Amino acid sequence: MLGELREHRYTRYPIANNGDKDDLIGFINAKEILTHFAVTGDVKMEELIHDLPYFHETTPLQTALMKMQKDRTHIALVIDEYGGTSGIITMEDILEEIVGEIRDEFDDEEEAEIIKESDDRYILNGRVLLKDLHERFNLEFDDSEDIDTIAGWIQHQLIEAETGDVVEKAGHRWSILEMDNHHISKVAVDILRD
């Protein structure tokens, strides 16, 4: 476990029962683990697991924020309509939706959200907003009523997206370059010219 903490440098980690992401039993706090290890020289993980609150995908951010503040927790499970794990949300995620990107000491120097490779090709961070792409490139996105980011839009088109998958729409080819677990983190867009 200490190797995981050193590699990923997150503060909180969800804990799954037998590695099943749809059976999360709680979360651990890295600072508590390190303190416990420093004091006892041992880590008994089961003693350090906290309850993981959960929200449905359709829960408004304001409701999630108020509940997390009330429960004094910084991480929660997001479940889908079938009760399976849709994702994890943190207090930082919610605050970034409200006030914009928050940088902390663990964030590496971030590259630009949109990088121009040529007149016909751009590399995008998966978090780029559809409204920003519309404003900058006059792009329209079908079926995007409840979708904010380009990663979310591509995920909606492909459902079980994988690195290398491609979507062609309205004269553009969207290619998934990188994924982090099930999240699309980097995308290429090629402008297809006749």
Side-chain angles (χ1 to χ4, degrees):
M1 183 64 199
L2 295 178
E4 292 281 326
L5 299 181
R6 190 176 299 114
E7 179 182 352
H8 298 291
R9 301 194 316 188
Y10 294 118
T11 305
R12 294 165 187 85
Y13 294 81
I15 302 297
N17 191 17
N18 295 321
D20 181 0
K21 74 173 183 70
D22 288 324
D23 189 9
L24 295 180
I25 58 175
F27 73 93
I28 55 168
N29 184 309
K31 292 176 185 175
E32 289 178 0
I33 289 174
L34 295 174
T35 301
H36 190 79
F37 183 76
V39 171
T40 67
D42 189 23
V43 175
K44 292 187 171 65
M45 195 71 65
E46 59 277 358
E47 295 176 6
L48 301 173
I49 296 175
H50 299 277
D51 290 336
L52 186 62
Y54 68 90
F55 301 103
H56 291 275
E57 289 176 317
T58 56
T59 302
L61 279 181
Q62 183 177 2
T63 302
L65 176 61
M66 289 191 314
K67 176 145 178 45
M68 289 173 78
Q69 286 176 318
K70 182 180 173 225
D71 294 346
R72 296 179 181 268
T73 186
H74 289 261
I75 187 172
L77 174 65
V78 180
I79 60 173
D80 61 23
E81 61 184 301
Y82 304 105
T85 298
S86 179
I88 294 287
I89 190 166
T90 65
M91 187 70 79
E92 184 175 329
D93 294 330
I94 294 173
L95 294 175
E96 284 183 344
E97 283 296 314
I98 296 169
V99 301
E101 193 71 24
I102 298 171
R103 307 251 321 139
D104 62 29
E105 67 272 21
F106 296 124
D107 289 336
D108 295 327
E109 276 305 311
E110 294 182 7
E111 60 184 46
E113 297 277 302
I114 302 174
I115 299 171
K116 181 177 181 178
E117 283 199 336
S118 71
D119 288 341
D120 296 330
R121 184 176 176 87
Y122 293 84
I123 306 299
L124 313 174
N125 184 301
R127 294 186 309 250
V128 170
L129 298 175
L130 297 182
K131 69 180 179 94
D132 292 343
L133 292 173
H134 173 71
E135 289 170 8
R136 181 165 174 180
F137 300 107
N138 199 31
L139 295 173
E140 299 290 339
F141 296 92
D142 298 334
D143 305 324
S144 62
E145 186 176 312
D146 297 321
I147 301 169
D148 295 323
T149 65
I150 189 60
W153 182 79
I154 293 172
Q155 192 82 47
H156 182 71
Q157 306 301 310
L158 298 174
I159 305 301
E160 294 187 22
E162 295 181 2
T163 302
D165 284 352
V166 173
V167 174
E168 285 192 22
K169 292 262 184 164
H172 296 86
R173 179 186 304 118
W174 302 90
S175 307
I176 300 173
L177 300 180
E178 292 179 12
M179 294 189 70
D180 182 10
N181 291 322
H182 300 289
H183 173 72
I184 299 169
S185 55
K186 191 174 286 189
V187 174
V189 57
D190 294 289
I191 300 167
L192 306 177
R193 304 201 188 269
D194 295 333

